[in-house]
PDB file of all heavy atoms in Angstrom:
ATOM      1  N   PHE A 197    -128.329  23.328  18.824  1.00 96.00           N
ATOM      2  CA  PHE A 197    -129.030  22.677  19.850  1.00 96.00           C
ATOM      3  C   PHE A 197    -129.356  21.269  19.455  1.00 96.00           C
ATOM      4  O   PHE A 197    -129.181  20.335  20.222  1.00 96.00           O
ATOM      5  CB  PHE A 197    -130.356  23.419  20.169  1.00 96.00           C
ATOM      6  CG  PHE A 197    -131.136  22.835  21.209  1.00 96.00           C
ATOM      7  CD1 PHE A 197    -130.740  22.690  22.539  1.00 96.00           C
ATOM      8  CD2 PHE A 197    -132.504  22.379  20.896  1.00 96.00           C
ATOM      9  CE1 PHE A 197    -131.452  22.139  23.507  1.00 96.00           C
ATOM     10  CE2 PHE A 197    -133.190  21.862  21.939  1.00 96.00           C
ATOM     11  CZ  PHE A 197    -132.742  21.685  23.188  1.00 96.00           C
ATOM     12  N   MET A 198    -129.790  21.101  18.135  1.00 96.00           N
ATOM     13  CA  MET A 198    -130.153  19.760  17.687  1.00 96.00           C
ATOM     14  C   MET A 198    -128.860  18.778  17.741  1.00 96.00           C
ATOM     15  O   MET A 198    -129.082  17.619  18.027  1.00 96.00           O
ATOM     16  CB  MET A 198    -130.545  19.761  16.278  1.00 96.00           C
ATOM     17  CG  MET A 198    -131.934  20.535  16.132  1.00 96.00           C
ATOM     18  SD  MET A 198    -132.306  20.903  14.371  1.00 96.00           S
ATOM     19  CE  MET A 198    -132.704  19.292  13.714  1.00 96.00           C
ATOM     20  N   GLN A 199    -127.773  19.373  17.453  1.00 94.00           N
ATOM     21  CA  GLN A 199    -126.546  18.468  17.475  1.00 94.00           C
ATOM     22  C   GLN A 199    -126.207  18.172  18.940  1.00 94.00           C
ATOM     23  O   GLN A 199    -125.760  17.068  19.139  1.00 94.00           O
ATOM     24  CB  GLN A 199    -125.308  19.273  16.880  1.00 94.00           C
ATOM     25  CG  GLN A 199    -124.200  18.342  16.606  1.00 94.00           C
ATOM     26  CD  GLN A 199    -123.143  18.945  15.762  1.00 94.00           C
ATOM     27  OE1 GLN A 199    -123.127  20.214  15.523  1.00 94.00           O
ATOM     28  NE2 GLN A 199    -122.242  18.254  15.134  1.00 94.00           N
ATOM     29  N   SER A 200    -126.394  19.113  19.875  1.00 95.00           N
ATOM     30  CA  SER A 200    -126.069  18.823  21.315  1.00 95.00           C
ATOM     31  C   SER A 200    -126.942  17.773  21.979  1.00 95.00           C
ATOM     32  O   SER A 200    -126.562  17.093  22.839  1.00 95.00           O
ATOM     33  CB  SER A 200    -126.179  20.161  22.019  1.00 95.00           C
ATOM     34  OG  SER A 200    -127.516  20.622  22.292  1.00 95.00           O
ATOM     35  N   ILE A 201    -128.216  17.679  21.452  1.00 96.00           N
ATOM     36  CA  ILE A 201    -129.181  16.695  22.054  1.00 96.00           C
ATOM     37  C   ILE A 201    -129.321  15.384  21.201  1.00 96.00           C
ATOM     38  O   ILE A 201    -130.055  14.521  21.479  1.00 96.00           O
ATOM     39  CB  ILE A 201    -130.546  17.291  22.318  1.00 96.00           C
ATOM     40  CG1 ILE A 201    -131.202  17.790  20.980  1.00 96.00           C
ATOM     41  CG2 ILE A 201    -130.417  18.508  23.167  1.00 96.00           C
ATOM     42  CD1 ILE A 201    -132.672  18.292  21.200  1.00 96.00           C
ATOM     43  N   GLY A 202    -128.594  15.288  20.150  1.00 95.00           N
ATOM     44  CA  GLY A 202    -128.455  14.073  19.293  1.00 95.00           C
ATOM     45  C   GLY A 202    -129.389  13.986  18.258  1.00 95.00           C
ATOM     46  O   GLY A 202    -129.503  12.777  17.633  1.00 95.00           O
ATOM     47  N   MET A 203    -130.114  14.967  17.849  1.00 96.00           N
ATOM     48  CA  MET A 203    -131.034  14.938  16.621  1.00 96.00           C
ATOM     49  C   MET A 203    -130.165  14.953  15.327  1.00 96.00           C
ATOM     50  O   MET A 203    -130.660  14.458  14.431  1.00 96.00           O
ATOM     51  CB  MET A 203    -132.063  16.067  16.713  1.00 96.00           C
ATOM     52  CG  MET A 203    -132.987  15.932  17.923  1.00 96.00           C
ATOM     53  SD  MET A 203    -134.233  17.349  17.952  1.00 96.00           S
ATOM     54  CE  MET A 203    -135.419  16.655  16.755  1.00 96.00           C
ATOM     55  N   LEU A 204    -129.091  15.629  15.349  1.00 94.00           N
ATOM     56  CA  LEU A 204    -128.144  15.674  14.230  1.00 94.00           C
ATOM     57  C   LEU A 204    -126.896  15.002  14.713  1.00 94.00           C
ATOM     58  O   LEU A 204    -126.355  15.332  15.788  1.00 94.00           O
ATOM     59  CB  LEU A 204    -127.913  17.098  13.891  1.00 94.00           C
ATOM     60  CG  LEU A 204    -129.075  17.841  13.254  1.00 94.00           C
ATOM     61  CD1 LEU A 204    -128.609  19.312  12.838  1.00 94.00           C
ATOM     62  CD2 LEU A 204    -129.626  17.176  12.080  1.00 94.00           C
ATOM     63  N   TYR A 205    -126.379  14.160  13.781  1.00 89.00           N
ATOM     64  CA  TYR A 205    -125.116  13.465  14.134  1.00 89.00           C
ATOM     65  C   TYR A 205    -123.863  14.196  13.660  1.00 89.00           C
ATOM     66  O   TYR A 205    -122.881  14.181  14.367  1.00 89.00           O
ATOM     67  CB  TYR A 205    -125.154  12.076  13.415  1.00 89.00           C
ATOM     68  CG  TYR A 205    -123.973  11.249  13.695  1.00 89.00           C
ATOM     69  CD1 TYR A 205    -123.845  10.586  14.918  1.00 89.00           C
ATOM     70  CD2 TYR A 205    -122.969  10.933  12.723  1.00 89.00           C
ATOM     71  CE1 TYR A 205    -122.733   9.825  15.191  1.00 89.00           C
ATOM     72  CE2 TYR A 205    -121.913  10.168  13.029  1.00 89.00           C
ATOM     73  CZ  TYR A 205    -121.839   9.619  14.271  1.00 89.00           C
ATOM     74  OH  TYR A 205    -120.805   8.808  14.558  1.00 89.00           O
ATOM     75  N   ARG A 206    -123.869  14.805  12.480  1.00 86.00           N
ATOM     76  CA  ARG A 206    -122.887  15.657  12.078  1.00 86.00           C
ATOM     77  C   ARG A 206    -123.426  16.794  11.246  1.00 86.00           C
ATOM     78  O   ARG A 206    -124.489  16.752  10.562  1.00 86.00           O
ATOM     79  CB  ARG A 206    -121.967  14.859  11.091  1.00 86.00           C
ATOM     80  CG  ARG A 206    -120.974  13.872  11.703  1.00 86.00           C
ATOM     81  CD  ARG A 206    -119.786  14.562  12.335  1.00 86.00           C
ATOM     82  NE  ARG A 206    -118.770  13.729  12.809  1.00 86.00           N
ATOM     83  CZ  ARG A 206    -118.771  13.100  13.886  1.00 86.00           C
ATOM     84  NH1 ARG A 206    -119.908  13.223  14.852  1.00 86.00           N
ATOM     85  NH2 ARG A 206    -117.771  12.297  14.305  1.00 86.00           N
ATOM     86  N   VAL A 207    -122.749  17.940  11.371  1.00 86.00           N
ATOM     87  CA  VAL A 207    -123.021  19.230  10.652  1.00 86.00           C
ATOM     88  C   VAL A 207    -121.801  19.705  10.086  1.00 86.00           C
ATOM     89  O   VAL A 207    -120.750  19.813  10.714  1.00 86.00           O
ATOM     90  CB  VAL A 207    -123.781  20.241  11.601  1.00 86.00           C
ATOM     91  CG1 VAL A 207    -124.133  21.487  10.813  1.00 86.00           C
ATOM     92  CG2 VAL A 207    -125.013  19.638  12.231  1.00 86.00           C
ATOM     93  N   SER A 208    -121.853  20.269   8.865  1.00 83.00           N
ATOM     94  CA  SER A 208    -120.749  20.887   8.213  1.00 83.00           C
ATOM     95  C   SER A 208    -121.270  22.134   7.452  1.00 83.00           C
ATOM     96  O   SER A 208    -122.284  22.095   6.725  1.00 83.00           O
ATOM     97  CB  SER A 208    -119.984  20.010   7.237  1.00 83.00           C
ATOM     98  OG  SER A 208    -119.007  20.732   6.543  1.00 83.00           O
ATOM     99  N   PHE A 209    -120.567  23.283   7.603  1.00 76.00           N
ATOM    100  CA  PHE A 209    -120.880  24.495   6.844  1.00 76.00           C
ATOM    101  C   PHE A 209    -120.024  24.576   5.704  1.00 76.00           C
ATOM    102  O   PHE A 209    -119.633  25.801   5.253  1.00 76.00           O
ATOM    103  CB  PHE A 209    -120.858  25.613   7.782  1.00 76.00           C
ATOM    104  CG  PHE A 209    -121.754  25.654   9.003  1.00 76.00           C
ATOM    105  CD1 PHE A 209    -121.378  25.085  10.248  1.00 76.00           C
ATOM    106  CD2 PHE A 209    -123.063  26.074   8.913  1.00 76.00           C
ATOM    107  CE1 PHE A 209    -122.246  25.094  11.248  1.00 76.00           C
ATOM    108  CE2 PHE A 209    -124.038  25.932   9.797  1.00 76.00           C
ATOM    109  CZ  PHE A 209    -123.593  25.418  11.058  1.00 76.00           C
TER     110      PHE A 209
END
Side-chain angles (χ1 to χ4, degrees):
F197 180 64
M198 293 168 73
Q199 194 169 18
S200 72
I201 63 175
M203 295 180 83
L204 295 178
Y205 182 72
R206 281 288 189 276
V207 179
S208 172
F209 299 96

